[in-house]
Amino acid sequence: MRNLDGQLITVLGGGGFIGRYVVQKLLARGARVRIAEREPRKAVFLKPLGGLGQTQFVAADVRDAASVARAIQGSDAVINLVGSFDDMQAVHAAGAGHIASAAANAGVATLLHVSAIGADREAASAYGRSKGDGEAAVRAAFPAATILRPSIVFGREDKFINRFAAMIRMAPVIPVIAPGAKFQPVFVGDVADAVVAALDAAPGSIFELGGPQVLTMAALQRWIAEATGRSPLFVDVPDAVAGALASGFGWAPGAPITKDQWLMLQRDNVVAAGAAGVADLGIVPASLASVADGWLVQYRRNGRFAELAAR
């Protein structure tokens, strides 16, 4: 394991959901961390996690090659965590290319690119294609880059488990879209550990990150309901109906789904057979049940006092 003391590591997207965990791990290892964001003020909450002078903040938009080049100048390593469901081709593909080219031109030793399971230039969904194009752009400019592809990432601040928990809290009937779609949810803390561990990976490595459980969409939503003490009626939506109703505006109150999201759900989001994964990075992944109670409690009736209220 490399010594990160004093190393300058630039994290693009360091103030985001995964980024805040990655930054915390890097700071704990003694690295100097430069957090690059479109709006750096939104990431200043991370400053107390480091020592004096250990954190830096810089404005950078991955769609602007010049701002990216300024952000990574002088870095020992660069980590790209930037992702979006808006302007995906510009962010995931062109943006990733800007980062890789700038890293190569600046003589950066290590580039780590976080993509996603399902990244494929021939994917049906625009999201999958943009991620696939991004990987290709990174490989073209920086062949030795390490690529990580996580499944659905869960944690206190996620927008996946929390969305379903909020729906289940509010609605007595829950329509389940693509009930048979499979996921392998991975804890954000484990993803952050994987990112830091992958800094030592062999050049050009690819890792697919998944948790210890593979769950269908239907099973996942029923698990969330049980974990939050809720018992709504779940209704599986036939694929033909869901596909026809999916639109850019969402098709049901509280359960928006776009056509592209529907296309993403047609492909299982699980670690491919034979792919290198978290175990190869020395990580034992946490299950949903082992960590989710700490924040899902907010969706229970009476919150932390649910058991007392039931007596």
Side-chain angles (χ1 to χ4, degrees):
M1 184 177 294
R2 79 164 72 176
N3 181 5
L4 297 183
D5 281 345
Q7 293 276 298
L8 177 59
I9 301 179
T10 296
V11 184
L12 293 108
F17 169 44
I18 297 175
R20 65 190 64 195
Y21 289 85
V22 171
V23 168
Q24 186 171 359
K25 303 284 185 181
L26 292 171
L27 291 172
R29 289 277 302 277
R32 292 181 296 135
V33 182
R34 181 183 291 158
I35 300 160
E37 288 277 350
R38 278 190 297 173
E39 298 182 64
R41 62 183 177 82
K42 293 185 177 180
V44 173
F45 69 91
L46 293 167
K47 189 170 185 177
L49 300 179
L52 183 63
Q54 199 179 359
T55 53
Q56 305 174 17
F57 299 87
V58 62
D61 185 332
V62 297
R63 296 169 295 186
D64 176 10
S67 73
V68 170
R70 287 192 297 270
I72 70 174
Q73 194 63 40
S75 301
D76 295 295
V78 171
I79 299 170
N80 176 27
L81 299 173
V82 179
S84 175
F85 285 106
D86 299 314
D87 207 8
M88 292 182 287
Q89 196 66 21
V91 172
H92 297 156
H98 293 156
I99 293 166
S101 295
N105 292 337
V108 172
T110 304
L111 172 62
L112 196 151
H113 175 70
V114 176
S115 181
I117 286 179
D120 182 350
R121 304 188 80 177
E122 303 299 323
S125 69
Y127 182 87
R129 291 194 301 275
S130 68
K131 286 290 191 179
D133 288 344
E135 290 189 9
V138 168
R139 280 279 181 254
F142 202 116
T146 295
I147 294 175
L148 300 183
R149 298 172 181 157
S151 182
I152 297 298
V153 182
F154 69 88
R156 182 177 298 274
E157 306 88 356
D158 75 49
K159 294 182 180 179
F160 189 76
I161 301 297
N162 281 303
R163 170 186 283 186
F164 289 123
M167 286 170 51
I168 290 167
R169 177 178 60 185
M170 296 174 60
V173 179
I174 303 295
V176 182
I177 307 164
K182 294 178 181 177
F183 304 92
Q184 196 168 348
V186 58
F187 178 49
V188 64
D190 294 333
V191 173
D193 284 335
V195 168
V196 176
L199 291 172
D200 292 325
S205 295
I206 298 177
F207 298 91
E208 297 201 352
L209 310 180
Q213 300 163 288
V214 173
L215 298 169
T216 64
M217 176 70 83
L220 177 63
Q221 294 195 38
R222 286 172 170 79
W223 182 88
I224 294 170
E226 182 177 355
T228 56
R230 306 282 177 173
S231 53
L233 173 63
F234 289 99
V235 178
D236 292 350
V237 179
D239 285 353
V241 175
L245 291 175
S247 73
F249 299 101
W251 68 273
I257 182 171
T258 66
K259 185 66 175 179
D260 202 61
Q261 289 167 341
W262 166 247
L263 292 172
M264 289 167 62
L265 290 171
Q266 303 312 295
R267 181 172 177 172
D268 289 341
N269 198 281
V270 299
V271 173
V278 291
D280 298 279
L281 292 168
I283 297 163
V284 178
S287 67
L288 265 168
S290 67
V291 297
D293 187 65
W295 81 88
L296 285 183
V297 65
Q298 67 185 298
Y299 298 104
R300 296 178 187 155
R301 292 184 181 88
N302 304 305
R304 296 186 182 279
F305 301 99
E307 292 185 7
L308 290 176
R311 293 177 183 174

